[in-house]
Amino acid sequence: MALIKTIEKMREFLPFNAGFTYADISPLIKEVEDEVIADIISADELATLQAAYDDDTLNAAQDILLEKCQRAIAYLATLKWIPFGNLQITSGGFKVNKGEHSDVASQWRVDNLEERLYQEGFNKIEILLEYLWSVDEGTFTDWDDSDEKLNHRNLIFLTAKDFTKYYNIKNSYYVFTQLKAAMQEVELMYLKPQLGDDYFDEIKSEITDADISANNEIIISLCKRAMAPLAIYEAIASMGVQINHMGIMVFENSPLQTTRVNKIAPDNRLSYALRQAKADGQKHLGNLRAYLNANAADDMYPLYYDSNLYNDPDNADSDEDDVNDVDSGLFGWCESNIMVLLRQF
């Protein structure tokens, strides 16, 4: 069985016409459950929910969980159906659906629908996760014991809505999922070296356990300010390409499009966006270190204080680069490619 059993239930979420049947989409509903929903709530919790639904023994929490799963399934199953929607698969080959008073939808209309389904379907997944995080432990015991519960709390950013506060991705959980690999890279290559192994692990553990101290809330906020633009910087080169069975593909638009089209950003604007994202991220990394060095000695951040990363602000230069400080006694400028050094008196 499935978590959506009738076309009437599908119509509660999407406006399918009267001729659309459950048989048209039922195989895709099961695919979404196995590929997406099980990855969120775990296969065991999905089986428990399915059994309670089939036996009509859902409790109040399961009723809410079922409805949130169904909303995501409806959008994502319809997204999977799109490639088949304008075709009939017959023994004589593929045929185009046409009726006396209808025609095949133009590509731009299909593209608009697909974009909307991606946006809404993945945002429903985020809502589903937020519900699971909001309930008391023991409400869904199979999920509590699953790897999936940990897998979706293994980054400093947990939601697209939170990421959008620091870099505008329009609350798109689909875009957020595309950025996850880059976020992992930023955590390991940029943030961990700034925090130290032990303190980094403490912060990640508190995020996983949803038990963050007030002091670490401040640090996590500073980390996010650096992490968001740096994730964009790391990810942006790969977001305009797709790797499939044909190789590495780039996205372009047909000149025959008759409506507004999306175009790949020109090189100059893309280069500017990359430079700005990297500069913003590095600026906030500097702010993070400056805050830690200024406050760690007050026993607020003992793991950082005890690491070899801590710099006493009374002994270090204010910008931590040991270059051209007011009290350094040395400054320089470049004139005709000759560096002139003068001793301050």
Side-chain angles (χ1 to χ4, degrees):
M1 295 297 292
L3 295 182
I4 294 181
K5 301 180 180 182
T6 67
I7 195 60
E8 287 73 27
K9 176 58 70 174
M10 287 288 290
R11 289 195 183 102
E12 291 182 17
F13 309 114
L14 286 162
F16 291 100
N17 67 22
F20 197 93
T21 69
Y22 182 72
D24 291 328
I25 202 168
S26 58
L28 304 175
I29 290 173
K30 188 60 178 172
E31 279 190 22
V32 171
E33 291 180 3
D34 293 341
E35 296 173 6
V36 181
I37 302 302
D39 179 63
I40 301 299
I41 71 173
S42 80
D44 288 341
E45 193 64 59
L46 176 59
T48 298
L49 181 64
Q50 184 71 65
Y53 183 39
D54 293 342
D55 296 340
D56 196 22
T57 57
L58 294 166
N59 59 37
Q62 286 176 321
D63 260 329
I64 298 172
L65 181 63
L66 174 65
E67 190 269 343
K68 294 186 183 303
C69 288
Q70 288 173 331
R71 285 188 179 277
I73 292 166
Y75 281 95
L76 296 178
T78 305
L79 179 64
K80 278 182 170 286
W81 175 81
I82 283 179
F84 306 101
N86 286 334
L87 295 174
Q88 289 182 351
I89 303 174
T90 71
S91 59
F94 299 103
K95 297 182 179 180
V96 175
N97 293 317
K98 278 192 175 182
E100 182 179 352
H101 303 292
S102 63
D103 204 344
V104 178
S106 58
Q107 186 61 47
W108 69 265
R109 289 186 172 91
V110 175
D111 290 344
N112 284 350
L113 175 61
E114 190 173 50
E115 182 180 352
R116 179 69 182 275
L117 292 170
Y118 266 115
Q119 180 77 10
E120 294 295 335
F122 276 84
N123 284 358
K124 299 299 185 287
I125 292 294
E126 180 169 281
I127 291 169
L128 171 58
L129 275 169
E130 289 175 325
Y131 172 65
L132 289 167
W133 293 331
S134 73
V135 300
D136 294 334
E137 187 170 357
T139 304
F140 302 111
T141 55
D142 291 320
W143 184 68
D144 287 337
D145 296 334
S146 71
D147 291 337
E148 285 75 16
K149 181 178 181 179
L150 299 178
N151 290 344
H152 294 285
R153 294 193 68 90
N154 67 353
L155 290 170
I156 288 175
F157 279 111
L158 299 180
T159 67
K161 290 191 285 291
D162 193 23
F163 193 98
T164 298
K165 296 175 185 176
Y166 301 90
Y167 200 102
N168 187 16
I169 59 170
K170 298 182 179 179
N171 296 327
S172 171
Y173 191 68
Y174 176 70
V175 173
F176 183 79
T177 63
Q178 304 305 297
L179 291 171
K180 280 191 171 184
M183 285 189 276
Q184 290 175 332
E185 181 75 5
V186 170
E187 287 189 0
L188 293 176
M189 301 304 295
Y190 292 88
L191 292 179
K192 194 170 186 178
Q194 300 294 326
L195 301 172
D197 291 356
D198 292 340
Y199 185 38
F200 177 82
D201 290 343
E202 176 188 284
I203 285 176
K204 293 297 293 287
S205 178
E206 289 188 4
I207 292 171
T208 299
D209 296 339
D211 186 18
I212 302 171
S213 69
N215 288 338
N216 282 345
E217 285 278 12
I218 298 170
I219 297 304
I220 289 170
S221 178
L222 292 171
C223 286
K224 288 176 178 179
R225 289 190 180 281
M227 184 174 172
L230 288 172
I232 296 296
Y233 172 75
E234 291 290 333
I236 204 165
S238 63
M239 293 186 76
V241 301
Q242 182 182 78
I243 301 174
N244 60 29
H245 65 284
M246 298 176 68
I248 299 177
M249 315 297 290
V250 297
F251 299 109
E252 293 185 356
N253 291 287
S254 166
L256 299 179
Q257 293 270 19
T258 58
T259 188
R260 185 189 69 178
V261 297
N262 297 313
K263 296 182 179 180
I264 297 173
D267 288 345
N268 61 332
R269 296 185 66 179
L270 184 59
S271 296
Y272 174 79
L274 283 168
R275 290 195 306 270
Q276 189 65 45
K278 186 176 184 181
D280 287 347
Q282 290 178 329
K283 175 186 68 178
H284 289 300
L285 284 178
N287 293 340
L288 169 65
R289 282 294 295 277
Y291 182 86
L292 281 168
N293 288 330
N295 292 277
D298 296 328
D299 295 329
M300 292 175 65
Y301 306 106
L303 291 178
Y304 177 81
Y305 183 73
D306 292 337
S307 75
N308 59 7
L309 294 171
Y310 171 69
N311 288 315
D312 186 341
D314 293 333
N315 298 328
D317 63 314
S318 60
D319 57 6
E320 299 186 5
D321 63 3
D322 295 311
V323 176
N324 286 349
D325 293 304
V326 173
D327 59 354
S328 68
L330 197 67
F331 69 95
W333 74 91
C334 185
E335 182 176 351
S336 301
N337 297 321
I338 299 174
M339 180 62 74
V340 181
L341 298 177
L342 297 178
R343 174 67 59 181
Q344 277 185 302
F345 295 96

